[in-house]
C-alpha cells in the first residue's frame, strides 16, 4: 500500500495526466492513494480534483491559515497519509510514474530504508530545456542532500 503526496500550486492541467499515468502504472499491482496537497491555487484545481476523485483514489487537501509553502505541503501530505509507504512527487510528471514499481521493489529488499529518485544516478536524466539557474539549483540541492545518503 502506498500514499503518493503531490504538492501543487496552479497545476490543474497536469493533474489528469498524472492521475492517469499513476493508474496505468499501479492499478492492480499496488493499492494506493493520491494526496493532492494544493496551496489554494487560483486555477480550477479543486474542480479538477473533484472530477478525478470519481475515477481514481484521489483526495484533495487544501491547508488554510498558513503561507503557501512547498515544504509545508509535503509535510501536511505525509501527516495525512493513510499508508506506511509514502512517495512524494511533482505534478508535472518530471518524476516518472513508471519508476514507482522499481522503487517499491527496492523497498521490498530493504524495508527499513528509504528510496530516492535522482537525476544523478545511472539512467537519470535532465530536461535539456532547463535554464542555467534551474540546473544550478538542482545541483546545489543535491550537494546539500549528499551527506544524508550513502
Amino acid at each position: 500500500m502506498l500514499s503518493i503526496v503531490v504538492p501543487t500550486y496552479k497545476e490543474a492541467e497536469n493533474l489528469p495526466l498524472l492521475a492517469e499515468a499513476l493508474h496505468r502504472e499501479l492499478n492492480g499491482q499496488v493499492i494506493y492513494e493520491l494526496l493532492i496537497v494544493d496551496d489554494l491555487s487560483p486555477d480550477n484545481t479543486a474542480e479538477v480534483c473533484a472530477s478525478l476523485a470519481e475515477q481514481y483514489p484521489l483526495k484533495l487537501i487544501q491547508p488554510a491559515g498558513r503561507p503557501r509553502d512547498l515544504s509545508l505541503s509535503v509535510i501536511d501530505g505525509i501527516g495525512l497519509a493513510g499508508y506506511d509507504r509514502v512517495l512524494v512527487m511533482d505534478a508535472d510528471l518530471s518524476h516518472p510514474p513508471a519508476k514507482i514499481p522499481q522503487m517499491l521493489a527496492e523497498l521490498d529488499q530493504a524495508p527499513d530504508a528509504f528510496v530516492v529518485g535522482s537525476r544523478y544516478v545511472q539512467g537519470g536524466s535532465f530536461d535539456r530545456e532547463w535554464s542555467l539557474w534551474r540546473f544550478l539549483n538542482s545541483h546545489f540541492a543535491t550537494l546539500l542532500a549528499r551527506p544524508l545518503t550513502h
Side-chain angles (χ1 to χ4, degrees):
M1 294 185 274
L2 177 67
S3 295
I4 302 169
V5 175
V6 181
T8 65
Y9 184 71
K10 297 194 299 187
E11 298 204 61
E13 67 186 34
N14 294 331
L15 296 177
L17 300 171
L18 176 64
E20 171 55 34
L22 290 169
H23 181 74
R24 184 176 54 251
E25 296 299 331
L26 301 177
N27 188 40
Q29 297 179 47
V30 178
I31 296 171
Y32 72 97
E33 65 178 350
L34 176 55
L35 303 174
I36 304 298
V37 187
D38 182 67
D39 274 334
L40 301 172
S41 294
D43 61 7
N44 62 338
T45 294
E47 293 82 8
V48 169
C49 285
S51 176
L52 291 171
E54 295 174 7
Q55 184 176 359
Y56 303 107
L58 183 148
K59 297 176 189 170
L60 173 63
I61 302 160
Q62 289 186 304
R66 67 161 172 78
R68 184 169 58 92
D69 184 285
L70 175 67
S71 298
L72 291 176
S73 292
V74 170
I75 291 167
D76 288 341
I78 291 171
L80 294 169
Y83 301 123
D84 290 339
R85 290 183 170 183
V86 178
L87 182 140
V88 178
M89 65 187 303
D90 287 342
D92 65 3
L93 296 173
S94 62
H95 301 149
K99 297 290 186 182
I100 296 173
Q102 179 183 351
M103 295 174 85
L104 292 174
E106 292 289 332
L107 279 176
D108 288 339
Q109 298 300 313
D112 58 341
F114 67 92
V115 177
V116 177
S118 175
R119 297 172 179 89
Y120 298 97
V121 297
Q122 183 176 359
S125 65
F126 292 89
D127 183 340
R128 299 287 181 206
E129 296 185 23
W130 273 7
S131 68
L132 178 61
W133 177 250
R134 176 67 178 98
F135 178 80
L136 291 174
N137 276 337
S138 175
H139 188 67
F140 183 67
T142 301
L143 290 174
L144 289 174
R146 192 167 304 252
L148 304 174
T149 64
H150 60 75

